[in-house]
Amino acid sequence: MTVVVGITGGIAAYKAVGVVRGLVLHGHDVHVVATEAALRFVGRPTLEAISRNTVHTDLYDGVAEVRHVALGQRADLIVVAPATAHTIASLAAGLAGDLLGTTVLASRAPLVVAPAMHTEMWTHASTVANVATLRSRGVVVVGPASGQLTGDDTGQGRMAEADEIIAHALAAAGPKDLRGRRFVVSAGGTREPIDPVRFIGNRSSGRQGVALASAAAERGASVVLVAAHLDVEVPSTVTLVEVQTAAELHSAMVEHAGQADTVIMAAAVADFRPAEVAEAKIKKTVETTGLVLELERTPDVLAGLSEHRRPGQRIIGFAAETERDDEAMLRVAGEKARRKGVDLLVVNRVGWNEGFGATTNSVIMVDGDGSVVSRAEGDKVSVAHRILDLLR
Ligand code: CTP
């Protein structure tokens, strides 16, 4: 996709570098249109290196190629981050006094703006009216978030984080082949308490599950994400339900699967939990040489969901395997797919240095009989899209 990122003159311009970078890493051709003021906050070389394209600023550059409208006409998506109060007012009024203004007016692509300003400016009647005007035209407004502002003050006005802006932007521009669909996705790793301060957990970061949930939302699905201890941010395009233990995850999944047409179990659920949880912190004495913990089985959430599935509901499981060769791994995975009664099992190899926490993944998708239907490799967002391609 050709994406124009408009950067305007606020201190949050430094965070726009992350927006540009993220969009490039998602495989898009990113063209930065920066105002002169923006370039006082972040340097042109940085933006050119990160975007891998020339940065455009001046309305009177590239006149022969009619650049003031050419960029907008070519764009599949325009993201303005940060959008200052001044920029929001200009966009609402349809002003064409600078390159960003002409680019936006010449474009019919989705427009996403990420405001950043002090709270007083954001809540001023002028800005409120301008933002309402933009929203009424279908402009997607992401943020601003609350928190520490540039000075000592805190409040609403911080630009949303780059990942959130990107998720909304891609959602605005992407194909909507999952519109009307209802997904429930689990992600992360459960923690089973031993005592008030200790737990048995696992190394899942939740990255692949969150990538699936956000990608499904981008493609138009309504998505509930049942999340256990994620290491990654969740975009506000999905409904987040936070859980701690396998038991909590189980009941949340059962509840939300009741309304879903597609269930994806990407969470690493504990197979065993302490049979008893100590009320107080377990203490040691000088004589203590060891500790025996009795563990009991947790319910198999995936098998239960597939056994009680609604008619037509699709159930997708994950399998994390440590077998070294593909043949052995696929044998184990095929047996797991049949045992759990899934429609699709996404198999990935994990190990001390593989799988967990990484930003990339390599998976093999097998059907309910264990036959290979597809393979995908790359960053977890791209892998998520390849999995979703099978669920359209
Ligand atoms: N799973 C589940 N409930 C559990 C354990 C796992 O729903 N108590 C789900 C996982 O979310 C995943 C799938 O089952 O979608 C397979 O998880 P995995 O850990 O690979 O398999 P296990 O059933 O735990 O089998 P094993 O550990 O023996 O390989």
Side-chain angles (χ1 to χ4, degrees):
M1 209 162 39
T2 301
V3 185
V4 169
V5 176
I7 305 181
T8 71
I11 183 67
Y14 81 91
K15 283 164 71 181
V17 177
V19 176
V20 174
R21 173 100 177 134
L23 288 165
V24 169
L25 292 181
H26 275 79
H28 302 296
D29 181 24
V30 180
H31 296 266
V32 172
V33 174
T35 61
E36 289 290 351
L39 294 180
R40 299 175 79 126
F41 291 99
V42 58
R44 185 188 289 271
T46 305
L47 294 168
E48 294 199 335
I50 299 291
S51 72
R52 305 172 188 172
N53 279 313
T54 307
V55 169
H56 306 285
T57 323
D58 195 334
L59 203 47
Y60 299 99
D61 277 346
V63 175
E65 61 195 70
V66 208
R67 190 177 296 146
H68 73 291
V69 290
L71 278 169
Q73 288 168 335
R74 270 176 56 205
D76 300 303
L77 167 69
I78 301 183
V79 182
V80 182
T84 58
H86 178 85
T87 304
I88 287 172
S90 308
L91 293 173
L95 296 186
D98 63 6
L99 186 61
L100 184 58
T102 57
T103 301
V104 168
L105 286 183
S107 169
R108 294 296 173 267
L111 175 61
V112 177
V113 301
M117 65 198 74
H118 278 272
T119 313
E120 294 80 356
M121 296 170 80
W122 173 247
T123 54
H124 192 281
S126 308
T127 309
V128 170
N130 290 330
V131 169
T133 302
L134 293 181
R135 284 207 167 103
S136 71
R137 292 188 199 135
V139 174
V140 177
V141 180
V142 186
S146 290
Q148 175 91 49
L149 302 174
T150 314
D152 285 337
D153 46 348
T154 54
Q156 201 178 9
R158 281 169 64 89
M159 186 171 90
E161 294 305 317
D163 285 349
E164 175 153 19
I165 297 169
I166 292 167
H168 281 274
L170 297 180
K176 298 289 176 277
D177 55 353
L178 298 177
R179 182 171 281 149
R181 300 279 302 280
R182 301 172 76 94
F183 277 56
V184 52
V185 181
S186 71
T190 60
R191 290 181 181 177
E192 307 304 320
I194 298 170
D195 67 19
V197 295
R198 303 184 180 96
F199 57 83
I200 298 175
N202 59 69
R203 292 172 51 213
S204 174
S205 65
R207 232 180 223 103
Q208 187 63 72
V210 171
L212 269 163
S214 9
E218 258 172 43
R219 289 164 69 159
S222 78
V223 181
V224 174
L225 177 69
V226 175
H229 308 286
L230 303 178
D231 287 347
V232 287
E233 296 288 319
V234 176
S236 55
T237 44
V238 307
T239 304
L240 182 64
V241 176
E242 289 186 279
V243 296
Q244 308 289 324
T245 61
E248 285 178 24
L249 185 137
H250 187 199
S251 49
M253 286 305 289
V254 169
E255 180 188 338
H256 294 283
Q259 291 89 51
D261 56 58
T262 307
V263 176
I264 304 180
M265 276 292 298
V269 186
D271 286 323
F272 301 97
R273 65 182 161 222
E276 270 174 51
V277 181
E279 283 295 321
K281 187 178 165 200
I282 298 172
K283 293 279 191 192
K284 62 182 179 309
T285 64
V286 277
E287 287 86 40
T288 313
T289 54
L291 172 72
V292 176
L293 274 181
E294 193 190 333
L295 303 181
E296 63 182 16
R297 282 286 296 271
T298 56
D300 189 322
V301 182
L302 180 60
L305 290 168
S306 86
E307 195 184 333
H308 300 108
R309 72 174 71 195
R310 303 164 60 202
Q313 189 176 53
R314 284 199 276 185
I315 311 272
I316 294 86
F318 269 70
E321 307 296 351
T322 47
E323 269 71 19
R324 294 315 316 160
D325 66 292
D326 272 17
E327 205 182 311
M329 187 169 82
L330 286 172
R331 211 175 24 252
V332 175
E335 195 274 318
K336 195 173 279 185
R338 286 187 289 275
R339 177 162 43 92
K340 303 218 180 199
V342 294
D343 298 295
L344 193 72
L345 190 71
V346 182
V347 190
N348 67 340
R349 188 173 282 118
V350 291
W352 293 107
N353 300 311
E354 263 177 298
F356 298 115
T359 54
T360 56
N361 208 356
S362 169
V363 302
I364 306 176
M365 282 85 97
V366 302
D367 65 13
D369 297 325
S371 310
V372 175
V373 283
S374 181
R375 291 173 192 259
E377 195 168 349
D379 66 277
K380 288 185 173 174
V381 175
S382 318
V383 168
H385 280 288
R386 298 296 73 77
I387 296 169
L388 294 175
D389 288 345
L390 300 174
L391 304 175
R392 286 183 282 208

